[in-house]
Amino acid sequence: MTPATIPLDVFSDPVCPWCYIGKTFLDRALESRPLHPFRVEWHPFRLNTDLPPEGVERAPYLEAKFGDRRSVAEAMARVQAVADEAGVRMDMGKATRVPDTLDAHRLIHWAGIEGAQNRVVDALFRAYFQDGADIGQSDVLSAIASACGMDGALVGRLLSTDGDRDDLMARDLDAREKGVTAVPTFLVDRQFVLAGAQSTATWQQIIDDILKQLETT
């Protein structure tokens, strides 16, 4: 079997900090194993399905979700501490809005068609967690597309339509019906599920084990 032939399906949301951390760990493992067998594909899973299309102010939304301001601060501090320890550049207090990520998932889908999916997913995470950008806005998404080598003007026009909305929502629902309850969730070779941000060492071991198996087949 040649490299990059085993599907690694990743269910993720661009506003999920653990997804960003998990992607960083995975990327480090893939970079350390250039002959890894994985063909990575990103799939939609919206953490906040109850948001209006324009999104909401982040502070009151999180307070309602976690119960009070102190609980929000404690939860954010825990994530920030893990990110800092892992060397993942992230500012949990930067963003002021929680966006509806459906359009971001549409962009990720289109990026997959053009072979730019990993770059776009990376750029979305950086835009939200480093720059505090509202990644629910079409102009922000178009700029990200352009920076990743896509046709930003075309993406902007597509975002003004309903193109692929129903498909992305159906894929999100299908993932939930098949047992995905949180992100990140990784599906290896359409058989083995790993939930949560796995360490680089874990991914390296998985890759090494798969490569050994392939050598004997």
Side-chain angles (χ1 to χ4, degrees), residues 15 54-59 94-99 128 132-134 137:
V15 296
E54 68 275 12
V56 295
E57 289 295 318
R58 188 165 182 259
K94 189 76 170 179
T96 60
R97 294 188 64 78
V98 179
Y128 189 68
D134 184 351
Q137 297 296 314

Side-chain angles (χ1 to χ4, degrees), residues 71-84 92:
S71 297
V72 172
E74 291 174 348
M76 297 302 103
R78 284 194 296 271
V79 177
Q80 187 71 59
V82 173
D84 292 345
M92 288 299 295

Side-chain angles (χ1 to χ4, degrees), residues 64-135:
K65 187 172 184 176
F66 284 93
D68 55 48
R69 187 173 301 179
R70 179 177 177 178
S71 297
V72 172
E74 291 174 348
M76 297 302 103
R78 284 194 296 271
V79 177
Q80 187 71 59
V82 173
D84 292 345
E85 184 177 355
V88 180
R89 185 171 162 243
M90 180 186 295
D91 183 348
M92 288 299 295
K94 189 76 170 179
T96 60
R97 294 188 64 78
V98 179
D100 174 14
T101 55
L102 181 56
D103 282 349
H105 284 298
R106 288 204 289 164
L107 173 57
I108 292 170
H109 169 68
W110 298 327
I113 297 171
E114 297 193 19
Q117 198 172 56
N118 196 63
R119 294 196 301 275
V120 165
V121 171
D122 237 5
L124 286 165
F125 281 136
R126 292 197 306 270
Y128 189 68
F129 289 108
Q130 295 181 13
D131 304 330
D134 184 351
I135 58 172

